[in-house]
């Protein structure tokens, strides 16, 4: 049932070209220039006229939500807030019937997310679900929703569900953007063509980085700390990379927006600190170059995720992982794949039980 892979997690990482494709299937009609999503379309005025969209989730799904904020604000120009379900529900949040609340949950059973949704519903908000498990509790109580069609995710560490969530959020942002007139037709057409090819880009990254990352991982088996940095869309990707590493390898890892480094974490950097830096060409590249210079000056070990043909960051890096160039909004999908592999192999080489890490459960039904 692991399809020849040693662990479900590795199988699920490798399934991503298919799971992302399955998530778009029947929705993204490139030739017709259409995104079909009944759940959005039936309520499109609710979204368009929303005071704001509040995304609630936990863990990896919350990271997807942060990227959703960038996507929806950039393309649909609707204000978005992203909240941990557990914080939202306990702080008497201001919610009205003009708000739209989107819950993101792989399992559809997370207790805090469920409770936050009930609260939002009581206050009259329109509630929308992005779940992977069909007919799960969250899928059932929401007013409408879109399933991620990632297929069953068995590994406790979420991988393919995350990229499927990003795919749905991208489709929603583009669809609302087109409807709202905030995303022009020419850009819409070129973005959806690019989105359609993302499964191929993931395939390329898997085959071009897999062996290399196995090698790199061997150098970090004894490491006790990691920093992950990114800017813009890749700041949440850095958070997610760090979460993957800590949950399965038990190495302490922190994700940070790269520009925040100088406000504190830079004090941690010495020759023993590995820093994973996500630095694709599109998205504040020059700023990232100066962050990398600051790290280099303090002898941090740099593992750079860059686009093919990159020079400036690569010259300073100790390890260079290349990903294909995409529009900025797609880069977290492509950049997450090698970071999943990195976490996976470091954990495997440390002898950890990657599919069932200690203290963690696949669905968190306690509050
Ligand atoms: C991380 C992970 C958890 C979940 C979180 C939310 O790999 O699996 O952080 O993302 O518990 O779970 P769902 O998405 O099922 O609500």
């Amino acid at each position: 049932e692991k399809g020849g892979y040693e662990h479900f997690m590795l199988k699920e990482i490798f399934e991503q070209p298919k799971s992302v494709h399955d998530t778009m299937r029947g929705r993204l009609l490139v030739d017709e220039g259409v995104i079909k999503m009944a759940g959005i379309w039936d309520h499109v005025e609710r979204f368009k006229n929303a005071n704001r969209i509040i995304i609630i989730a936990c863990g990896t799904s919350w990271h997807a939500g942060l990227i959703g904020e960038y996507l929806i604000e950039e393309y649909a120009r609707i204000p978005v807030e992203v909240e941990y379900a557990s914080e939202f529900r306990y702080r008497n949040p201001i919610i009205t019937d003009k708000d739209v609340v989107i819950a993101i949950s792989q399992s559809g059973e997370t207790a805090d997310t469920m409770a936050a949704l009930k609260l939002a519903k009581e206050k009259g908000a329109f509630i929308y679900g992005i779940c992977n498990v069909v007919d799960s509790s969250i899928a059932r109580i929401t007013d409408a929703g879109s399933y991620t069609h990632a297929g069953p995710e068995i590994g406790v560490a979420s991988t393919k569900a995350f990229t499927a969530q990003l795919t749905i959020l991208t489709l929603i942002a583009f669809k609302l953007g087109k409807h709202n007139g905030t995303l022009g037709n020419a850009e819409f057409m070129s973005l959806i063509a690019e989105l359609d090819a993302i499964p191929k880009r993931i395939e390329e990254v898997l085959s071009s980085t897999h062996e290399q990352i196995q090698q790199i991982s061997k150098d970090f088996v004894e490491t006790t700390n990691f920093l992950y940095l990114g800017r813009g869309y890749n700041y949440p990707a850095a958070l997610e990379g760090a979460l993957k590493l800590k949950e399965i390898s038990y190495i302490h890892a922190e994700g940070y927006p790269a520009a925040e480094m100088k406000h504190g974490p830079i004090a941690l950097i010495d020759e023993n600190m590995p820093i994973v830096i996500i630095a694709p060409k599109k998205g504040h590249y020059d700023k990232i170059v100066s962050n990398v210079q600051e790290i280099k000056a303090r002898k941090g070990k740099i593992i750079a995720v860059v686009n093919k043909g990159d020079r400036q960051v690569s010259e300073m890096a100790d390890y260079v992982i290349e990903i294909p160039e995409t529009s900025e909004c797609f880069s977290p999908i492509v950049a997450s794949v090698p970071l999943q592999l990195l976490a996976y192999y470091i954990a495997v080489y440390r002898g950890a039980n990657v599919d069932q890490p200690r203290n963690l459960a696949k669905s968190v039904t306690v509050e």
Side-chain angles (χ1 to χ4, degrees):
E1 68 203 330
K2 289 182 200 151
Y5 291 96
E6 202 182 330
H7 296 100
F8 283 110
M9 182 176 174
L10 190 62
K11 172 174 177 262
E12 288 161 3
I13 291 172
F14 272 85
E15 272 170 5
Q16 290 175 109
K18 180 173 186 301
S19 51
V20 168
H21 181 261
D22 288 347
T23 300
M24 300 190 295
R25 199 200 343 248
R27 290 171 169 150
L28 179 59
L29 310 177
V30 175
D31 294 341
E32 292 150 58
V34 170
I35 292 173
K36 267 220 273 201
M37 297 178 100
I40 298 291
W41 194 241
D42 292 346
H43 308 280
V44 75
E45 294 304 308
R46 282 291 306 236
F47 279 94
K48 186 178 181 180
N49 300 319
N51 271 349
R52 57 187 182 148
I53 293 174
I54 306 165
I55 298 179
I56 51 177
C58 305
T60 290
S61 299
W62 183 77
H63 295 151
L66 291 177
I67 295 168
E69 173 179 16
Y70 286 70
L71 282 161
I72 295 169
E73 290 203 343
E74 175 166 7
Y75 293 108
R77 307 304 294 161
I78 302 167
V80 180
E81 281 173 42
V82 189
E83 297 235 31
Y84 283 119
S86 55
E87 286 298 317
F88 177 82
R89 57 179 291 213
Y90 290 117
R91 66 175 179 77
N92 193 12
I94 301 167
I95 321 168
T96 71
D97 58 5
K98 295 276 279 173
D99 294 322
V100 171
V101 172
I102 300 179
I104 306 176
S105 177
Q106 187 287 128
S107 63
E109 302 296 342
T110 302
D112 279 319
T113 309
M114 184 70 181
L117 269 183
K118 284 187 181 151
L119 178 69
K121 195 173 186 155
E122 273 164 28
K123 304 228 178 190
F126 177 73
I127 62 174
Y128 199 87
I130 299 176
C131 297
N132 194 46
V133 176
V134 175
D135 212 29
S136 51
S137 306
I138 291 173
R140 275 185 275 120
I141 77 149
T142 40
D143 296 313
S146 309
Y147 283 114
T148 48
H149 294 300
E153 192 178 63
I154 312 286
V156 163
S158 185
T159 53
K160 65 174 181 171
F162 175 67
T163 46
Q165 289 163 348
L166 297 184
T167 306
I168 289 288
L169 290 161
T170 306
L171 289 168
I172 291 175
F174 293 172
K175 178 151 190 79
L176 292 176
K178 180 139 191 256
H179 178 73
N180 294 354
T182 47
L183 172 57
N185 202 49
E187 196 184 359
F188 176 83
M189 294 303 281
S190 102
L191 285 169
I192 62 170
E194 203 182 339
L195 177 59
D196 192 48
I198 289 296
K200 271 199 215 84
R201 302 285 92 82
I202 299 175
E203 191 92 60
E204 287 164 29
V205 184
L206 284 166
S207 61
S208 68
T209 65
H210 185 207
E211 278 178 28
Q212 182 202 9
I213 290 176
Q214 292 181 53
Q215 288 310 316
I216 296 176
S217 300
K218 289 181 180 149
D219 291 351
F220 295 100
V221 173
E222 306 293 335
T223 304
T224 50
N225 289 288
F226 257 89
L227 276 180
Y228 284 71
L229 304 175
R231 298 181 85 113
Y233 281 92
N234 288 304
Y235 151 51
L239 296 180
E240 174 59 11
L243 179 63
K244 285 292 85 98
L245 185 72
K246 70 186 127 188
E247 66 185 332
I248 60 169
S249 76
Y250 318 137
I251 294 172
H252 168 241
E254 279 191 69
Y256 253 97
E260 276 292 307
M261 198 179 59
K262 59 181 160 304
H263 300 286
I266 198 165
L268 294 167
I269 296 177
D270 62 15
E271 65 279 6
N272 298 315
M273 178 64 91
I275 294 122
V276 176
I277 183 134
I278 309 171
K281 242 178 238 129
K282 295 200 182 107
H284 323 285
Y285 182 78
D286 294 341
K287 297 285 179 189
I288 286 268
V289 169
S290 45
N291 296 140
V292 176
Q293 284 162 343
E294 291 157 11
I295 298 165
K296 189 79 188 159
R298 289 158 185 86
K299 303 195 169 57
K301 280 211 181 64
I302 299 163
I303 303 160
V305 179
V306 296
N307 289 144
K308 289 205 174 78
D310 175 90
R311 301 274 294 273
Q312 268 182 294
V313 168
S314 300
E315 276 168 9
M316 292 183 276
D318 299 273
Y319 303 86
V320 176
I321 297 168
E322 289 185 333
I323 58 172
E325 191 173 332
T326 62
S327 290
E328 192 186 354
C329 64
F330 303 119
S331 60
I333 300 182
V334 183
S336 290
V337 174
L339 301 190
Q340 295 166 347
L341 287 170
L342 185 70
Y344 172 80
Y345 279 106
I346 293 177
V348 165
Y349 296 143
R350 285 164 66 90
N353 182 352
V354 291
D355 279 340
Q356 285 186 306
R358 66 187 186 202
N359 310 337
L360 295 175
K362 185 65 188 161
S363 80
V364 182
T365 51
V366 291
E367 306 188 357

